[in-house]
């Protein structure tokens, strides 16, 4: 990302030298030391994990408090844009506008592009429309969209009004695609040429046309209708003699991304086919943009990390999310669990007499329910992950179920043995030991079944298994745990 | 990956045409239809989510059972290598060797490279050493290493013995780096040139030297000691006149990856600085290989998805992991939870008299413990995720703690109110309602504190917070839940 933008900007300043002047490594380029530190832990601002040091951040915060803005600038100047973006996340939210002000001319497009969504949204809302517009104008379409899509209608219109007609058109059309779709994340800057060109023609074309992007990894070959018919990795072009026609160089196989494809699907395609960039096409198959892997890596890690948060009901789960939003998404989940928990306690209530006659049961029953819950969560995590990775399909679903059952029997057997013996010895009551062992075994098997069948069913119903599975699984393991344990205790005549 | 390998192979066959002949899109190339389907859901083998259709897989399995190997070949031939790799995961493990046999000449290096680790390991063990050696010879170093590193000492030596000295040397040296380090994932195929070259020199050099890789994204500029001093995106080279010297084109800023850096760190660097490829250097700073983004995407999604599995104690959590391995990793976790659960039940035991005098407490106590557990898990998931993404550092740790406390107070307040009222009405006992409300409030706040402080502490102690946090958190929320609820019930004189 950052490089691309950087090149675009420098290009505006000095079209002639576009590709090489102001390259990130330019001696007179503030960034230089910045990212070098990525490989030099001894840097004064980054620690060995490439995170900004606490002392450094404190120094910046102090300078901000003392309103010593020259000092702030001096401190921030050597940073790589990606680190400046991190810095914004590390200082308190009320310090961010002041920081942005102090380093105004370091607030390049790369910084904006790398900012966390929540932080950027707040910052953008604090800036006047014309400033936002000028930044958006310099950003790649996808980053400009990311910056504007969260603004409310009115602010959005205000900013768009300030923009160049061309940029505005690009952003408006991008915003016309569904959220989190390829149409929103694609960039319109790309190189597309007819197959009749030779390698030589292409190189000359690239050298002559300054308006072309300077950062791209593939050249797309299109037919007269501007439909992609092939793609050339730049390395293939560089390795071919000038006289070779592109139709001999290009790969006809390519993964075309429909503009309305969900970003999660796009990410899976990039992973599966090891793509660096891919052509985005509209309904009529025309090439309208490209998605590049550097944008996809962010989505891959978001989508993959998301499940941890969804399974726990932590919603968006970003530490920069406003407290009120976090509360409303989490509390809903807790209330849902409150209902399922009441169900479990209803089960216990059915056995009050039994408990009254043998209170020890009350002390042991949470173990049966709890372990069942753990076992269920394990199976659930494995299943949800496999579904997300498209590893688990109708073809191997039953094998997965059988597999989880075998593991459940092994786990159940082991745990039942341990708890059975322990209880027998501690309570000196073999009968009680037998009852809890049997209950534990049963509940862990039930847990395994619930852990794999519930997400599979939700997936079949086109619901996201990560979102609601765990409520159902814990409900099952809790209720069944108490039911089986207390039920057996009663039926077995353990309780005289 | 696949493209790169494909090019390498085709090169071996016909060096002269290296870069373009046998390009994946070649008309006579079986793959062509394969990946096109990535954009054509109407394909007969892939469904709309780009997964192999159940009918298709069944057809292959049937053909395998009937030992109709020509039919198998006919069915598999049109698939993209990545889909062939998926097919291996979808058929039963005992069918895999037969499948490999039936489509021997489709078992290209791309298929091997895309195979799931467990599946590949089993398959490789089933193949004779010399076959493995010849495949490893064609793979990029990183894929060859991935294929051999899991073999036991002996098999490994047998395979290495069969390999070309040069390839063997590369793999042996790669294996000398720690597991999951950059040294293992780097590829030795790269282009490195002196800064004195001009753009023209470089292009001629690339055209003349057939032994060079055909798939690369950056050219590394090195000094006479072979230390990287800059990097050129191919697009910059293509856009510059021939006479420009590379030192005017190259970016001096670059992220250098030490060979012993952990792959998770490498992945974070790629995300943060939006890298397509990066130079890997040895202790003396010499360029010894490169890591490309297509290898990193797999790691990003593994590492990000891993936390879901680690938090639930599901270990590796791959559905292709042998049952025995899955059992041993999961059961350890369950035993650990058994101990913490016993602790909680020990707490209950302290209040047996109280329970005996008011059995309703036994029915309600799991709600207090359970909801605390949910709230704790939410905070835990958010914290672990933020730590993994380097979003949470010493600089903002206390802000994160304060944030989670505020959310805990809001959540606790809401849930306490609901449960308090409900219990008061259902049991017609305001005192009981007050006790459970107070206990719930307290436990959710404790849960919030545990959910953020425990992972932060583990991180500070350089332990992976994802692995052990949740045991401690549930232990805390269970024990404290019972303690506070039953304790208050006793102290408040609720139980006459």
């Amino acid at each position: 990302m950052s490089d691309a933008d950087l090149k675009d900007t420098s290009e505006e300043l000095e079209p002639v030298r576009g590709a090489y002047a102001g390259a990130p490594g330019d001696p007179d380029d503030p960034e230089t030391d910045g990212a070098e530190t990525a490989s030099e832990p001894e840097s004064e601002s980054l620690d060995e994990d490439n995170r900004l040091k606490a002392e450094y951040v404190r120094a910046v915060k102090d300078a901000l408090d003392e309103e010593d803005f020259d000092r702030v600038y001096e401190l921030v100047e050597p940073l790589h844009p990606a680190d400046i973006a991190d810095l914004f996340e590390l200082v308190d939210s009320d310090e961010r506008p002041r920081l942005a002000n102090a380093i105004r001319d370091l607030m390049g497009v790369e910084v904006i592009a790398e900012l966390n969504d929540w932080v950027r949204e707040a910052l953008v809302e604090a800036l006047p429309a014309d400033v936002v517009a000028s930044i958006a104008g310099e950003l790649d379409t996808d980053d400009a969209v990311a910056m504007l899509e969260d603004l409310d209608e009115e602010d959005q219109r205000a900013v768009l009004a300030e923009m160049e007609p061309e940029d505005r058109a690009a952003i408006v059309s991008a915003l016309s695609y569904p959220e989190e779709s390829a149409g929103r994340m694609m960039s319109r800057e790309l190189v597309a040429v007819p197959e009749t060109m030779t390698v030589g023609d292409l190189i000359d074309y690239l050298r002559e046309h300054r308006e072309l992007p300077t950062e791209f990894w593939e050249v797309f070959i299109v037919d007269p209708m501007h439909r992609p018919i092939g793609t050339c990795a730049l390395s293939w072009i560089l390795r071919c003699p000038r006289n070779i026609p592109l139709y001999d160089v290009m790969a006809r196989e390519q993964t075309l991304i429909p503009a309305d494809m969900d970003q999660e699907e796009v990410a899976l395609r990039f992973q599966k086919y090891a793509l660096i960039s891919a052509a985005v096409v509209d309904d009529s198959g025309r090439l309208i943009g490209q998605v590049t892997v550097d944008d996809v890596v962010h989505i891959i890690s978001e989508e993959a990390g998301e499940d941890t948060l969804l399974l726990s009901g932590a919603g968006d789960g970003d530490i920069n999310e406003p407290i009120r939003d976090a509360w409303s998404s989490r509390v809903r989940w807790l209330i849902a669990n409150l209902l399922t928990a009441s169900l479990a306690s209803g089960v216990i209530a059915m056995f009050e007499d039994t408990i009254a006659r043998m209170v020890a049961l009350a002390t042991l029953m949470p173990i049966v329910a709890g372990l069942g819950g753990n076992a269920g969560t394990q199976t659930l995590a494995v299943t949800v992950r496999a579904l997300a990775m498209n590893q688990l399909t109708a073809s191997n679903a039953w094998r997965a179920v059988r597999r989880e059952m075998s593991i459940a029997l092994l786990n159940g057997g082991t745990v039942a043995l341990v708890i059975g013996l322990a209880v027998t010895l501690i309570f000196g009551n073999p009968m009680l030991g037998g009852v809890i062992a049997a209950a534990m075994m049963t509940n862990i098997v039930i847990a395994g079944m619930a852990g794999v069948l519930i997400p599979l069913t939700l997936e079949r119903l086109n619901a996201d298994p990560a979102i609601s599975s765990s409520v159902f699984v814990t409900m099952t393991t809790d209720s069944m745990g108490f039911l089986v344990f207390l039920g057996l205790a009663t039926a077995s005549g353990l309780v005289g």
Side-chain angles (χ1 to χ4, degrees), chain A:
Chain A
M1 205 68 282
S2 52
D3 285 359
D5 304 331
L6 185 60
K7 222 61 62 330
D8 296 340
T9 5
S10 61
E11 220 181 4
E12 280 182 18
L13 308 173
E14 293 187 80
V16 196
R17 308 180 54 221
Y20 35 101
D26 232 21
D28 58 322
D29 183 324
E31 283 176 48
T32 311
D33 348 11
E36 209 105 67
T37 54
S39 55
E40 290 172 7
E42 61 273 28
S43 133
E44 68 295 331
S45 55
L46 293 173
D47 68 11
E48 69 287 348
D49 290 338
N50 196 35
R51 298 172 304 197
L52 290 166
K53 288 183 187 160
E55 314 85 84
Y56 172 82
V57 178
R58 207 173 309 109
V60 175
K61 291 165 87 112
D62 294 346
L64 280 172
D65 297 343
E66 297 153 14
E67 309 219 315
D68 178 352
F69 297 125
D70 300 343
R71 173 82 184 124
V72 174
Y73 190 94
E74 188 184 313
L75 281 164
V76 178
E77 200 195 18
L79 292 188
H80 183 286
D83 290 307
I84 298 183
D86 286 353
L87 180 60
F88 271 95
E89 298 180 34
L90 293 176
V91 301
D92 302 338
S93 43
D94 58 328
E95 297 171 319
R96 286 166 194 161
R98 262 183 299 149
L99 175 57
N101 237 319
I103 60 167
R104 217 177 290 101
D105 66 325
L106 296 179
M107 290 296 292
V109 290
E110 319 85 310
V111 178
I112 305 286
E114 291 294 322
L115 275 178
N116 167 281
D117 292 356
W118 295 104
V119 176
R120 181 177 47 221
E121 188 179 345
L123 204 57
V124 169
E125 277 164 358
L127 297 170
D130 59 324
V131 179
V132 179
S134 69
I135 297 173
E138 287 186 7
L139 288 165
D140 278 350
T141 327
D142 55 332
D143 296 319
V145 170
M147 185 166 105
L148 300 184
E149 64 186 349
D150 301 327
L151 292 180
D152 55 52
E153 280 288 328
E154 193 187 328
D155 297 357
Q156 216 179 62
R157 237 181 282 102
V159 173
L160 287 170
E162 297 281 344
M163 294 187 72
E164 299 298 326
E166 198 189 322
D167 298 338
R168 186 191 309 134
I171 292 175
V172 169
S173 86
L175 287 171
S176 71
Y177 292 104
E179 275 187 34
E180 308 212 320
S181 70
R184 291 239 181 159
M185 64 187 290
M186 74 185 177
S187 148
R188 275 160 181 67
E189 292 79 18
L190 57 82
V191 177
V193 296
E195 63 178 326
T196 49
M197 265 193 182
T198 65
V199 168
D201 300 335
L202 174 60
I203 295 179
D204 299 338
Y205 169 79
L206 290 171
R207 287 185 182 147
E208 286 152 17
H209 291 68
R210 303 223 179 76
E211 74 285 5
L212 293 173
T214 44
E215 199 92 2
F216 53 95
W217 313 104
E218 275 179 285
V219 168
F220 299 101
I221 317 298
V222 290
D223 67 10
M225 304 290 298
H226 210 69
R227 283 180 305 236
I229 55 173
T231 153
C232 287
L234 299 188
S235 54
W236 308 346
I237 294 162
L238 279 167
R239 299 217 52 197
C240 292
R242 288 181 65 91
N243 62 331
I244 304 286
L246 292 180
Y247 56 73
D248 268 349
V249 186
M250 72 182 187
R252 281 179 181 72
E253 161 207 296
Q254 67 178 314
T255 300
L256 300 178
I257 307 285
D260 56 6
M261 179 183 273
D262 183 82
Q263 63 174 24
E264 185 164 14
E265 279 304 310
V266 177
L268 284 171
R269 295 288 196 290
F270 267 74
Q271 279 185 76
K272 181 172 177 181
Y273 299 115
L275 306 175
I276 299 296
S277 55
V280 179
V281 293
D282 62 17
D283 306 343
S284 52
R286 269 194 223 78
L287 176 64
I288 57 172
Q290 73 169 331
V291 174
T292 50
V293 70
D294 50 5
D295 298 324
V296 172
V297 290
H298 290 291
I299 292 161
I300 291 175
S301 89
E302 268 171 41
E303 296 284 350
E306 199 176 57
D307 288 351
T308 318
L309 302 165
L310 292 177
L311 280 169
S312 69
D316 191 342
D318 187 303
I319 56 168
N320 297 299
E321 186 184 18
I323 290 180
R324 194 170 283 89
D325 301 19
W327 167 58
S328 73
S329 59
R330 293 197 207 173
V331 80
R332 264 194 240 104
W333 178 269
L334 292 175
I335 298 295
N337 277 279
L338 185 53
L339 298 177
T340 63
S342 330
L343 209 113
S345 87
V347 172
I348 303 175
M350 295 163 19
F351 297 95
E352 284 197 338
D353 318 352
T354 316
I355 295 174
R357 272 179 285 145
M358 188 179 198
V359 183
L361 296 176
T363 69
L364 293 175
M365 63 187 187
I367 302 184
V368 181
L371 266 283
N374 292 131
T377 314
Q378 290 180 328
T379 312
L380 184 58
V382 174
T383 312
V384 167
R385 184 83 189 118
L387 284 170
M389 300 300 295
N390 274 352
Q391 274 186 316
L392 185 48
T393 75
S395 317
N396 59 350
W398 283 113
R399 183 178 358 135
V401 175
R402 284 198 307 278
R403 177 171 182 275
E404 287 303 326
M405 284 301 96
S406 331
I407 299 176
L409 287 169
L410 288 168
N411 284 338
T414 321
V415 176
L417 190 71
V418 176
I419 186 83
L421 288 173
V423 168
T424 308
L425 298 176
I426 296 164
F427 292 79
N429 183 338
M431 185 86 181
L432 181 58
V435 166
I436 196 168
M440 188 65 88
M441 180 74 191
T442 321
N443 200 29
I444 287 182
V445 171
I446 291 172
M449 220 173 310
V452 61
L453 290 181
I454 289 172
L456 278 173
T457 315
L458 288 168
E459 169 90 355
R460 196 64 59 87
L461 304 173
N462 293 317
D464 180 345
I467 292 177
S468 33
S469 292
S470 55
V471 178
F472 294 117
V473 172
T474 19
M475 178 179 78
T476 317
T477 53
D478 279 356
S479 314
M480 294 312 288
F482 296 129
L483 181 64
V484 176
F485 178 57
L486 296 174
L488 277 177
T490 319
S492 65
L494 163 68
V495 185

